[in-house]
Amino acid sequence: MAIRRYHYARDVDEALSLLLAYEGRGALLAGGVDLARGPGTDVEGLIDITAAGLGGISRDAKKGLVIGATVTLEEIRTSREARDYLGGFLTEVMRHVATLPLRCMATLGGAVVSAHPWADIPTALIALGAEVAWRNEEREERAPLEELYRRPFRAIFRRAVLTEVRLPAWGGAFAFEKVSRNAGDIALLNCACGLGVKDGKVAWARVAVGATPYRAARLTGVEELLVGESPSAELLAEAGRKAAAEAKVGDDLRASAEWRRAVIPALVRRALERAAREVKGDA
Ligand SMILES: Cc1cc2nc3c(=O)[nH]c(=O)nc-3n(C[C@H](O)[C@H](O)[C@H](O)COP(=O)(O)OP(=O)(O)OC[C@H]3O[C@@H](n4cnc5c(N)ncnc54)[C@H](O)[C@@H]3O)c2cc1C
């Protein structure tokens, strides 16, 4: 490895100016869980951002959640803010991610930027409609995560620092499901579903499936199928079947496309059933 220098950035300005000064040969270091697996042979400078003022979890005025980029996954899992948000949905998601030692190091920003297609966090954040903020040399920018992932985001973060993730307030309930070979292993499939109910009918639905083995995507056809209908067992089972037809699936070394298509109906139905049970009153 070509690493020659290690910097502790005191704030975002310093992190950004160091990153730009390295002209592509520097890397931001948060938890280091991903970077330790190989930062790239041309990285000369590591810029540690864990003391750059990007910690903290808070509720915003609309009862959404704002999470700093360097908050660790275990900090999220054990925080009161996450427990109070959507009945502890995020607490549940974090419990499914890796193992305790890794969660104590890995950060939310690192998970967003590393964006592994098999990861659980992008699936949950896309279902929630997360918005991310980042600073580049000109300004602060914001975008829904779903949209950011359609852009060349790896190139963006070679010259920018992700600063926070915002999660909107939702009136309904969400549930997360994951299939892996054992607890702590990465997903063979995962999904996050949310439902809001008004006058006994689905007012809104959010369905995201990931590790297909492609990065999580919302299944808008399934969402449309649900809206306006009563969330009966038949409807949720039909939504599961439609999810298998709509999701883009493929083979990788962990599972075949055929297996994934066979499992998606049960996974999505199960998440929708749990969300439907947890919805209290009208959204
Ligand atoms: C063994 C293992 C098991 C895992 N299991 C799971 C799992 O079950 N589910 C799951 O969802 N994920 C899993 N992961 C992925 C894990 O969540 C991510 O690797 C982790 O969150 C990365 O965070 P980090 O802080 O360690 O990032 P780092 O390694 O510090 O950085 C990762 C990348 O992001 C960049 N970066 C970091 N922070 C910022 C920022 N603020 N702004 C711009 N760029 C930034 C870095 O420069 C680097 O390119 C696993 C990873 C490993 C290694």
Side-chain angles (χ1 to χ4, degrees):
M1 288 184 189
I3 297 166
R4 297 157 72 94
R5 281 176 294 273
Y6 191 104
H7 307 268
Y8 285 96
R10 281 164 296 194
D11 52 32
V12 176
D13 285 338
E14 193 172 32
L16 193 54
S17 63
L18 281 162
L19 187 64
L20 296 175
Y22 273 107
E23 295 183 331
R25 295 183 321 281
L28 299 177
L29 177 79
V33 168
D34 237 71
L35 218 53
R37 294 160 66 226
T41 47
D42 55 343
V43 171
E44 285 177 19
L46 290 178
I47 304 150
D48 188 319
I49 54 168
T50 53
L54 297 174
I57 309 179
S58 55
R59 302 298 296 254
D60 67 14
K62 295 180 186 151
K63 298 232 172 351
L65 216 53
V66 185
I67 308 178
T70 58
V71 174
T72 68
L73 307 184
E74 188 59 12
E75 281 175 315
I76 298 174
R77 194 188 71 79
T78 54
S79 71
R80 197 171 35 144
E81 289 81 1
R83 248 193 341 263
D84 293 348
Y85 176 75
L86 274 173
F89 170 69
L90 276 186
T91 313
E92 180 199 350
V93 173
M94 296 307 160
R95 212 173 29 236
H96 284 282
V97 175
T99 53
L100 178 62
L102 280 171
R103 287 199 302 266
C104 288
M105 294 169 66
T107 65
L108 188 64
V112 167
V113 175
S114 56
H116 297 292
W118 43 261
D120 305 309
I121 292 166
T123 309
L125 296 184
I126 284 172
L128 286 171
E131 182 188 81
V132 295
W134 66 93
R135 279 264 311 280
N136 57 28
E137 54 205 305
E138 279 136 32
R139 63 183 89 87
E140 183 185 84
E141 297 208 38
R142 290 182 174 274
L145 183 60
E146 207 179 347
E147 189 197 313
L148 178 67
Y149 281 157
R150 286 197 285 268
R151 298 199 215 165
F153 66 94
R154 296 198 196 283
I156 291 176
F157 290 115
R158 276 199 282 276
R159 302 183 64 80
V161 182
L162 189 139
T163 52
E164 67 183 27
V165 175
R166 276 180 180 269
L167 305 175
W170 290 94
F174 279 74
F176 181 80
E177 290 284 339
K178 169 175 178 173
V179 191
S180 58
R181 278 173 300 189
N182 54 47
D185 199 0
I186 63 176
L188 302 170
L189 268 178
N190 58 36
C191 85
C193 297
L195 285 178
V197 176
K198 195 167 173 54
D199 301 330
K201 303 271 189 277
V202 176
W204 55 261
R206 305 279 297 190
V207 177
V209 175
T212 58
Y214 310 109
R215 190 171 308 116
R218 272 175 61 208
L219 303 181
T220 52
V222 180
E223 294 173 358
E224 281 161 23
L225 170 84
L226 292 161
V227 172
E229 304 292 331
S230 153
S232 63
E234 295 72 34
L235 179 74
L236 304 186
E238 193 189 338
R241 287 190 293 274
K242 189 167 171 58
E246 189 179 347
K248 181 182 163 207
V249 294
D251 300 312
D252 67 357
L253 59 91
R254 293 191 172 80
S256 65
E258 193 189 356
W259 180 88
R260 288 186 161 102
R261 221 178 270 295
V263 173
I264 287 174
L267 200 70
V268 169
R269 175 182 45 78
R270 211 179 284 166
L272 285 169
E273 282 172 352
R274 285 181 43 222
R277 273 199 300 275
E278 282 162 34
V279 176
K280 293 183 196 76
D282 282 347

